[in-house]
Amino acid sequence: MCRWLAYCGTPITLEKMLYEPEHSLIDQSLHARYGKETVNGDGFGVGYYGDGDVPPAVFKDTKPAWGDRNLRELARHVRSPLFMAHVRASSGTAIQQTNCHPFRYGSWLWMHNGAISEFGRVKRDLVMTIAPDLFPAIEGSTDSEVMFFLALTFGLSEDPPGAVERMVGFVERTGRRHDVEHPLQMSLAASNGERLWSFRYSSDRRSRSLFHSANTQTLRHLHPEVFETVELSDDARVVVSEPLRDLPGLWLKVPESTYTVVRPGVFEMHPFSPAKPE
């Protein structure tokens, strides 16, 4: 599958999360420990928010993340209070820039690890449900992007958790109409630049790994040798597919069928379940 991280807090350089930890996302692109694949070399992407109301910037390429000099230069100089990064292992769709995560629409960023099972069998039914005004904005061919535009269709801008629940419920009902036993596997992140949502769910209740960091005050107490001088606000949080450092108490597992919300001063976890048909 894929590996990803999302950060929300004090503006920091992307390098602090992408490269500096001993098991950084760049290291995971070659040596993942929690995913089905060890190597995630089918492209990468970063999306980051700046000041003001401008849409988030996105930088993607089809090259492996571990060898991209431009990504290293960008990560060293760009500072952001909220950013996402993703290294891809394709589940069958083409290796091309438009299929690299995160995906962007307006102020929204979206990235995903997992798959819609038997996507080729259900793709037409899913795509035909996307709102006509959104359809022209689809650029790639992945199930992840279809999930994004379905969530936008189902009201992501007004009610992100509800829209993702409606999207998941629709994908599962569609899959089961096509005799797919377990239609969906996902850990995903979405943001509008003000809040960061992450979701862990799968149809068979055996979801891919997802972790969030402990609060900064706890980290400074547990590991002052690492975090005492790190420029992180007390409310900074990181959500990851797998831990970036092997330190006790640093990472807490997001429970099965759960979503998290991060915004300045707030971190919440809530139960997640697909919406039932009306």
Side-chain angles (χ1 to χ4, degrees):
M1 294 297 175
C2 308
R3 304 284 82 187
W4 60 257
L5 70 80
Y7 168 84
C8 181
T10 310
I12 61 172
T13 60
L14 276 58
E15 181 181 50
K16 295 292 184 184
M17 295 296 160
L18 269 64
Y19 286 92
E20 290 189 2
E22 59 265 28
H23 190 50
S24 68
L25 191 68
I26 302 305
D27 181 70
Q28 291 176 29
S29 68
L30 264 174
H31 307 295
R33 296 180 292 186
Y34 286 70
K36 292 183 67 175
E37 293 87 12
T38 301
V39 177
N40 298 275
D42 295 333
F44 67 85
V46 294
Y48 51 93
Y49 294 88
D51 297 327
D53 297 327
V54 297
V58 174
F59 174 62
K60 306 180 184 184
D61 210 320
T62 57
K63 297 192 293 292
W66 64 78
D68 193 278
R69 295 179 64 184
N70 290 327
L71 176 61
R72 186 64 192 252
E73 286 292 315
L74 180 85
R76 185 174 293 142
H77 292 281
V78 170
R79 296 175 65 89
S80 172
L82 201 165
F83 59 86
M84 298 182 179
H86 187 280
V87 291
R88 184 173 183 240
S90 172
S91 57
T93 49
I95 300 172
Q96 59 193 45
Q97 277 195 20
T98 54
N99 283 345
C100 293
H101 309 221
F103 303 100
R104 176 181 61 191
Y105 182 82
S107 64
W108 284 92
L109 290 175
W110 175 282
M111 62 185 178
H112 168 236
N113 172 38
I116 295 177
S117 300
E118 303 290 340
F119 181 53
R121 291 168 57 186
V122 301
K123 181 178 179 180
R124 183 181 183 279
D125 289 357
L126 299 180
V127 168
M128 293 298 289
T129 304
I130 294 170
D133 61 316
L134 294 173
F135 191 87
I138 300 173
E139 295 184 327
S141 58
T142 65
D143 52 356
S144 303
E145 190 177 17
V146 169
M147 291 167 62
F148 180 29
F149 279 85
L150 282 170
L152 287 165
T153 298
F154 293 144
L156 185 66
S157 297
E158 295 77 31
D159 176 16
V164 176
E165 288 179 338
R166 289 186 285 275
M167 177 273 292
V168 169
F170 177 69
V171 170
E172 289 193 320
R173 294 192 300 275
T174 302
R176 285 165 183 152
R177 284 203 309 269
H178 289 267
D179 298 321
V180 179
E181 184 179 6
H182 301 301
L184 183 61
Q185 172 72 242
M186 73 176 203
S187 70
L188 64 85
S191 180
N192 59 2
E194 298 177 358
R195 301 187 185 192
L196 169 67
W197 292 266
S198 67
F199 301 81
R200 182 174 185 236
Y201 177 82
S202 61
S203 302
D204 62 358
R205 306 302 192 271
R206 298 172 63 187
S207 301
R208 300 287 184 261
S209 60
L210 190 64
F211 299 84
H212 68 86
S213 62
N215 67 64
T216 306
Q217 290 177 323
T218 299
L219 298 181
R220 289 186 175 132
H221 175 73
L222 290 175
H223 304 287
E225 75 285 358
V226 176
F227 293 100
E228 196 63 49
T229 60
V230 176
E231 298 178 9
L232 291 178
S233 58
D234 289 343
D235 58 357
R237 296 280 183 162
V238 190
V239 185
V240 296
S241 295
E242 63 181 77
L244 306 180
R245 296 181 187 271
D246 294 327
L247 292 175
L250 171 52
W251 301 104
L252 306 173
K253 184 179 290 187
V254 176
E256 180 69 51
S257 302
T258 298
Y259 76 90
T260 72
V261 188
V262 185
R263 58 186 171 89
V266 175
F267 177 82
E268 301 173 345
M269 286 200 296
H270 302 276
F272 177 86
S273 60
K276 301 295 188 290
E278 298 179 358

